[in-house]
Amino acid sequence: MNYNPALDGLRAVAIATVLGFHCTIPGFGGGHVGVDLFFVLSGYLITALLVEEQRQGGIDVGRFYLRRLLRLYPALLILIVVYLAVAPTLLPKEPHALMATLAATYTMDYGLAFQRLPPTIGHTWSLGVEEKFYLLWPLLLPLLLRARRPLVWLLGAFVLATAWRYVVAGQWGWLQAYFSFDTRVSGIVLGAVAALRPTTMPRWLVKAAVVVLVINIAAPSLPFHWLVAGITWRTTLAELCAFVLVSHVAAHPQSPWLASGPMVWFGRLSYGIYLWHFPPISWVGRDAAPWLKVVVAVPFSIAMAMLCLALVDKPISRLRKQLHRPASEARLPVGT
């Protein structure tokens, strides 16, 4: 796989919308759909990697797990250690050991779905969703590729996962529907569809997806009694728009704006920014003024992301490259 800088640019868009949403900046009332963009991107990139590896002789599941662990866990572990060191003083009422355990074991998604927990490191729920996909997909994908119509099976899985989210939202409420792996895997599956069947999107459809996604991001947060609708059709709409954009960017890696230097730089830092942006927001309080949350969270998260990239990710990446087969994940964007 050749490196596609525009995919890092899409990461920049995703993390910017999440930052805008969590900082409650006007115009980002639906910025939570940035997570849906991350999910579709992850499904696409990991599936493309594994398909290429399968074609070269088979997926080495152990190596894949180790690469994922080396890529994602060190920075998360640093976040957890800092949280355990600081939170007892700044946020003494939180269940620190429980929060750290849920984050470290990638089970925060179900923790938030079924318990009332503080949000300080609750944003790691999305990492739990992706990690479960990483565990299952290298085992299931070879079976799928042997099927007569793998694309039909994948599209069926997307429809079923989406329908299941609607059922859960209606029967048990928005918390279970929003945070759980089984209800949020639909976007990742749609990204896998984009990898399995690359499609050239017509320009009018790409423009329409951009407009709809912008409207979805800019639309205000729904009142509490409408949250079920927000995490059903609004999430599905974001996933479909992300599917169109990821498919388009995969075919056009030199997109002038997305592949520009600042967008690629910001996208490469997106994982670290996502890890570090929410604790300071929780510290100043969700009801604080948007400008204060921006001043506190954005510079801090960017600085921590840069430190983690320089002192943790780059040294470890040398070890990861030794575990790569030719033409495999070594050439994926850094944030994969």
Side-chain angles (χ1 to χ4, degrees), residues 73 75-85 100-101 103-105 121 276:
Y73 207 69
L76 175 63
L77 187 59
I78 292 173
L79 172 70
I80 293 170
V81 170
V82 171
Y83 168 76
L84 288 174
T101 300
T105 57
I121 55 173
W276 292 100

Side-chain angles (χ1 to χ4, degrees), residues 70-140:
L70 290 173
R71 167 66 188 97
L72 300 173
Y73 207 69
L76 175 63
L77 187 59
I78 292 173
L79 172 70
I80 293 170
V81 170
V82 171
Y83 168 76
L84 288 174
V86 174
T89 300
L90 297 181
L91 303 164
K93 296 182 179 180
E94 291 194 358
H96 309 111
L98 174 61
M99 296 293 289
T101 300
L102 291 173
T105 57
Y106 291 109
T107 52
M108 187 67 77
D109 51 336
Y110 287 105
L112 291 180
F114 295 101
Q115 297 187 60
R116 288 189 173 273
L117 297 171
T120 311
I121 55 173
H123 63 298
T124 58
W125 72 269
S126 64
L127 307 183
V129 171
E130 293 195 6
E131 188 64 26
K132 293 175 185 65
F133 166 71
Y134 298 152
L135 287 173
L136 295 173
W137 200 224
L139 303 175
L140 297 176

Side-chain angles (χ1 to χ4, degrees), residues 51-335:
V51 167
E52 181 68 18
E53 191 170 335
Q54 178 72 12
R55 288 172 179 167
Q56 293 188 10
I59 298 171
D60 189 326
V61 177
R63 280 174 175 259
F64 174 79
Y65 288 163
L66 186 55
R67 292 198 304 266
R68 291 289 85 202
L69 183 70
L70 290 173
R71 167 66 188 97
L72 300 173
Y73 207 69
L76 175 63
L77 187 59
I78 292 173
L79 172 70
I80 293 170
V81 170
V82 171
Y83 168 76
L84 288 174
V86 174
T89 300
L90 297 181
L91 303 164
K93 296 182 179 180
E94 291 194 358
H96 309 111
L98 174 61
M99 296 293 289
T101 300
L102 291 173
T105 57
Y106 291 109
T107 52
M108 187 67 77
D109 51 336
Y110 287 105
L112 291 180
F114 295 101
Q115 297 187 60
R116 288 189 173 273
L117 297 171
T120 311
I121 55 173
H123 63 298
T124 58
W125 72 269
S126 64
L127 307 183
V129 171
E130 293 195 6
E131 188 64 26
K132 293 175 185 65
F133 166 71
Y134 298 152
L135 287 173
L136 295 173
W137 200 224
L139 303 175
L140 297 176
L141 183 59
L143 301 176
L144 178 70
L145 295 176
R146 296 190 191 104
R148 291 186 60 185
R149 295 181 179 179
L151 192 63
V152 173
W153 283 97
L154 265 185
L155 289 172
F158 167 72
V159 173
L160 286 175
T162 301
W164 175 242
R165 184 171 66 251
Y166 285 38
V167 170
V168 171
Q171 293 295 320
W172 294 287
W174 74 273
L175 285 172
Q176 289 86 346
Y178 186 80
F179 291 113
S180 304
F181 164 75
D182 54 290
T183 59
R184 296 309 300 270
V185 73
S186 54
I188 300 177
V189 170
L190 203 55
V193 171
L196 207 61
R197 183 63 61 87
T199 305
T200 301
M201 295 292 172
R203 190 170 296 274
W204 68 266
L205 184 58
V206 175
K207 292 180 178 179
V210 170
V211 171
V212 172
L213 189 62
V214 169
I215 293 174
N216 205 350
I217 292 169
S221 296
L222 295 172
F224 184 80
H225 59 284
W226 286 355
L227 282 173
V228 168
I231 57 92
T232 52
W233 61 264
R234 196 165 181 174
T235 295
T236 301
L237 196 62
E239 291 171 345
L240 293 172
C241 291
F243 170 77
V244 172
L245 295 179
V246 168
S247 298
H248 175 73
V249 169
H252 299 84
Q254 298 302 325
S255 171
W257 181 59
L258 290 176
S260 63
M263 292 295 289
V264 171
W265 174 80
F266 200 59
R268 286 166 63 91
L269 293 176
S270 60
Y271 177 59
I273 293 172
Y274 185 82
L275 283 178
W276 292 100
H277 82 284
F278 203 71
I281 293 176
S282 298
W283 178 61
V284 299
R286 295 297 303 276
D287 295 329
W291 68 266
L292 178 60
K293 286 182 277 192
V294 170
V295 168
V296 170
V298 175
F300 174 77
S301 61
I302 291 176
M304 292 302 296
M306 292 175 66
L307 281 174
C308 287
L309 181 65
L311 302 179
V312 179
D313 292 348
K314 287 186 176 180
I316 291 179
S317 69
R318 301 188 187 100
L319 177 58
R320 290 173 61 223
K321 288 180 180 180
Q322 295 176 8
L323 300 170
H324 293 168
R325 293 181 176 182
S328 71
E329 189 183 356
R331 304 187 72 179
L332 282 176
V334 168

